[in-house]
Amino acid sequence: MLTQEQNDRLTQVGPGTPMGELMRRYWHPIAASAELDLDNPTKEIRLLGEDLVLFRTTKGVVGVIEPSCAHRKASLAYGVPEENGIRCAYHGWIFDENGRCVDQPSEPEGSKFKEKVRIKAYKAQEIAGVIWLYLGPTPAPLLPNYDMLVWPGVRTTWSVELPCNWLQCMENSMDPLHFQWLHRYWGGWQMNKLMPVEQRDSWNRQIGGRGADHKKIGFEVTDYGIIKRRLVGDETEESDHWKMGHPIFFPNILRIGQDLQCRVPVDDTHTLHFMLEWRALRSGEESTDYIPHEKFEPFDELGKIRRDYVIGQDQVAWIIQGSITDRTTERLGVGDIGVIMYRRLLEEQMRLVQEGEDPMNTYRDASQNEIIIAPCESFDYPGYEGIPRGPFTNIVVNNTVEATLSGEGKILEEFVEAEKVIDTPGQFSLLTPPLKNDIHAK
């Protein structure tokens, strides 16, 4: 249980707030590169409570600036892309990616007025078909080279904007036990009503194994974030779910299977759930610069929250807590040790920022940012074909906190005969919504 002041401190992300200042020390994915082209050179966005405009020049440079032209406050979202910036639709002033006014075509010849005009601008960078923004003080840290951003491979991206605060999305990632109940029990109950028999049985086989009764959970704090572990069913501590687990890149990215799931704080009551999917190149394939992007709505045609895929069910749990979870009346149990640890870690990192220090998982030395590879269960690491656990063959579990659970639960009748699935490299076929560009299809 938190006080209202503590809850506000963890959830409010606007300029000048403790969490807002912490979040401004990190790069955030805000759009796909494919969303900005010559036909659509601008995009209105909102990040950390600030309204901004993304644009791409005719030379391909991406910028992010405040929405209004400094002249007569017309929206630059309607601007024309030029080689050196975005030209305002109203009187033709041009602003570059640094917010400088570089042209005022109707001012007298020789005028230096433009040198006195500047609007707010932030750092933008493209990698892996994604536009990342940094809204903090300069000099900016390096954009972390997470493995799936830099490995050769095939990628696609998709996103959905959710009507809830970012923290309830991330607390879900500190809660392994939810898989047993949200996905296996409630999710199975939903899927058995929504799906035809063959898809229903596929769901039951896949979720029945990973969602088995949880016996133990553990969390290890690392220099890049947290490793989340679980022990389910008949597994031992030598199983991948316990030995390897999967990472959370602090503060707001879950890395699981072949996914990076980014929970981007739009403002206090909205979150952009931005996903990057990756797989290794198959024989004869080459990486491509163009990476497609799809957008999805959180609600179905009946106005219900979509629940016909794993991540959709996660989003159900986040949204039904309300726009901002009321933590002043919550009651946490032993299974919530990861949530408690994460909140304390957020508080610790907010204090570091207030003291003028860099928070965890920020990089300024390029030699430490060549590639960030973390342990992930049932994952086939490139360059380690045929070697279980890849570079983490000798991994040692060193949990910061862990808890033993009852190992009991309730099973739906439909699961009784379901075959327990042994995880194989890859992801659930029902993890994501139906993607037009399904890079995992055989």
Side-chain angles (χ1 to χ4, degrees):
M1 183 188 302
L2 302 181
T3 65
Q4 187 61 55
E5 181 182 5
Q6 289 171 325
N7 201 31
D8 291 345
R9 183 174 165 85
L10 288 171
T11 56
Q12 294 178 357
V13 295
T17 63
M19 184 58 69
E21 292 306 304
L22 174 61
M23 284 293 182
R24 280 168 173 76
R25 268 55 178 185
Y26 296 92
W27 290 85
H28 298 279
I30 196 62
S33 296
E35 293 183 84
L36 286 186
D37 55 28
L38 291 177
D39 293 327
N40 300 285
T42 65
K43 178 179 172 64
E44 295 175 278
I45 62 165
R46 187 167 169 81
L47 176 62
L48 299 175
E50 296 190 49
D51 292 316
L52 302 164
V53 170
L54 277 178
F55 69 90
R56 188 188 296 280
T57 71
T58 56
K59 285 188 173 181
V61 175
V62 172
V64 58
I65 52 179
E66 64 177 278
S68 300
C69 175
H71 181 208
R72 300 268 293 280
K73 312 312 288 183
S75 172
L76 292 165
Y78 290 84
V80 179
E82 305 283 359
E83 285 190 356
N84 57 344
I86 190 77
R87 187 185 294 278
C88 180
Y90 201 8
H91 292 92
W93 289 18
I94 297 179
F95 294 89
D96 69 8
E97 70 276 12
N98 297 309
R100 297 176 303 187
C101 184
V102 295
D103 190 23
Q104 296 170 334
S106 298
E107 288 297 303
E109 185 176 353
S111 170
K112 295 185 178 180
F113 178 39
K114 66 176 181 290
E115 297 173 9
K116 301 177 181 179
V117 178
R118 181 184 285 265
I119 60 175
K120 182 168 59 180
Y122 291 117
K123 301 286 186 182
Q125 189 172 336
E126 290 184 275
I127 186 173
V130 180
I131 298 171
W132 302 71
L133 302 186
Y134 174 78
L135 272 58
T138 57
L142 301 171
L143 173 58
N145 281 328
Y146 299 127
D147 47 20
M148 287 194 290
L149 299 181
V150 296
W151 275 331
V154 178
R155 296 176 179 84
T156 193
T157 61
W158 60 278
S159 64
V160 55
E161 186 165 324
L162 308 173
C164 64
N165 184 263
W166 76 278
L167 183 59
Q168 54 222 61
C169 309
M170 281 309 299
E171 287 184 338
N172 182 80
S173 294
M174 310 298 162
D175 171 21
L177 185 59
H178 88 269
F179 206 100
Q180 176 180 337
W181 294 102
L182 179 67
H183 299 303
R184 185 193 189 195
Y185 193 80
W186 181 83
W189 176 64
Q190 287 288 329
M191 289 299 215
N192 286 315
K193 294 189 294 182
L194 293 170
M195 290 185 148
V197 172
E198 59 277 5
Q199 288 183 320
R200 179 199 70 193
D201 290 345
S202 175
W203 173 273
N204 290 342
R205 283 194 300 271
Q206 292 182 72
I207 303 302
R210 183 167 292 201
D213 297 343
H214 284 51
K215 299 187 298 185
K216 193 174 183 179
I217 55 176
F219 304 85
E220 179 178 339
V221 176
T222 70
D223 54 355
Y224 53 77
I226 297 167
I227 301 174
K228 175 176 66 177
R229 297 184 167 102
R230 76 186 84 202
L231 205 56
V232 303
D234 298 326
E235 292 177 343
T236 71
E237 292 189 2
E238 291 302 310
S239 72
D240 255 19
H241 281 154
W242 187 258
K243 201 78 172 180
M244 291 281 278
H246 56 261
I248 292 90
F249 293 127
F250 191 88
N252 61 334
I253 299 177
L254 173 68
R255 158 79 156 84
I256 182 170
Q258 292 166 293
D259 276 4
L260 279 183
Q261 301 182 21
C262 310
R263 289 71 184 261
V264 183
V266 173
D267 53 32
D268 295 349
T269 56
H270 295 86
T271 300
L272 176 67
H273 202 191
F274 195 100
M275 251 70 55
L276 181 138
E277 311 250 343
W278 173 93
R279 69 162 170 79
L281 295 171
R282 295 170 183 161
S283 178
E285 282 186 324
E286 295 182 359
S287 295
T288 175
D289 291 335
Y290 179 77
I291 298 172
H293 180 73
E294 296 179 58
K295 292 182 179 179
F296 293 89
E297 294 296 324
F299 300 95
D300 63 21
E301 63 279 2
L302 299 177
K304 295 284 189 179
I305 308 169
R306 286 194 63 175
R307 56 214 181 276
D308 55 343
Y309 59 102
V310 172
I311 295 175
Q313 293 175 2
D314 286 325
Q315 292 169 173
V316 170
W318 310 341
I319 293 171
I320 64 176
Q321 292 177 56
S323 58
I324 301 177
T325 303
D326 180 5
R327 296 175 179 83
T328 67
T329 57
E330 68 184 1
R331 297 293 186 270
L332 302 185
V334 173
D336 300 305
I337 60 165
V339 172
I340 296 168
M341 186 194 76
Y342 178 59
R343 293 179 187 175
R344 290 173 177 169
L345 192 59
L346 288 170
E347 283 286 353
E348 173 188 293
Q349 299 304 308
M350 283 191 288
R351 285 193 294 272
L352 283 178
V353 169
Q354 289 173 330
E355 293 166 3
E357 302 291 332
D358 279 338
M360 67 189 302
N361 197 33
T362 53
Y363 303 88
R364 299 191 182 275
D365 183 345
S367 66
Q368 297 178 356
N369 189 44
E370 291 181 7
I371 184 169
I372 300 168
I373 303 177
C376 188
E377 66 226 344
S378 307
F379 186 76
D380 222 359
Y381 286 87
Y384 292 87
E385 288 75 13
I387 303 176
R389 298 174 182 167
F392 300 100
T393 301
N394 299 316
I395 190 171
V396 175
V397 174
N398 187 26
N399 287 331
T400 308
V401 296
E402 57 183 50
T404 300
L405 306 179
S406 68
E408 297 180 1
K410 186 173 176 60
I411 190 169
L412 288 170
E413 183 179 345
E414 293 88 343
F415 281 128
V416 174
E417 300 300 325
E419 177 183 355
K420 180 176 179 179
V421 170
I422 298 174
D423 284 340
T424 54
Q427 64 170 18
F428 294 125
S429 60
L430 297 169
L431 178 67
T432 68
L435 298 174
K436 295 178 182 176
N437 184 53
D438 184 0
I439 64 173
H440 305 289
K442 300 296 184 182

